[in-house]
Amino acid sequence: MSGRRPSRFRAALLALSSPLLILLALLVLFTRQGADKLPAVPALVIGSGLLTTSWIRRRRRRAELLRALRQAPRPAASCAKVKDPRPDPRE
């Protein structure tokens, strides 16, 4: 896999692939009878697994980012008032 980022359309399509797979599997489960429902089960399990792992990965990344932000040293200079180099028009 290359280091390039996917296009906007492709990224949106990838983001919707798991929910669409689950939706398709549920549609097949509701419309078919008896043993014909069986092929939809793997799609439902895979779609649910992909959605769950994506959720867990996002949650871990956010927690790691928050932890890094809390541990980062705060620069003291940014809190100090900086004098504007332009002349004051009131003077």
Side-chain angles (χ1 to χ4, degrees):
M1 181 171 228
S2 67
R4 284 184 359 185
R5 292 180 65 185
S7 67
R8 275 185 127 169
F9 175 74
R10 191 168 181 181
L13 191 63
L14 285 172
L16 290 174
S17 62
S18 293
L20 289 176
L21 185 62
I22 293 170
L23 184 66
L24 182 64
L26 289 173
L27 181 69
V28 169
L29 280 174
F30 289 133
T31 58
R32 298 202 178 167
Q33 300 293 323
D36 287 341
K37 291 182 176 186
L38 197 58
V41 174
L44 184 63
V45 171
I46 290 171
S48 300
L50 287 172
L51 210 56
T52 304
T53 51
S54 170
W55 178 73
I56 291 170
R57 193 175 301 143
R58 186 179 312 116
R59 190 171 171 183
R60 284 182 183 168
R61 238 181 320 172
R62 287 181 176 181
E64 185 179 324
L65 179 61
L66 181 62
R67 195 176 319 112
L69 287 172
R70 286 182 177 168
Q71 289 177 353
R74 293 194 177 112
S78 66
C79 297
K81 189 173 182 180
V82 178
K83 187 174 183 326
D84 190 6
R86 294 176 290 176
D88 191 4
R90 293 176 287 178
E91 295 177 348

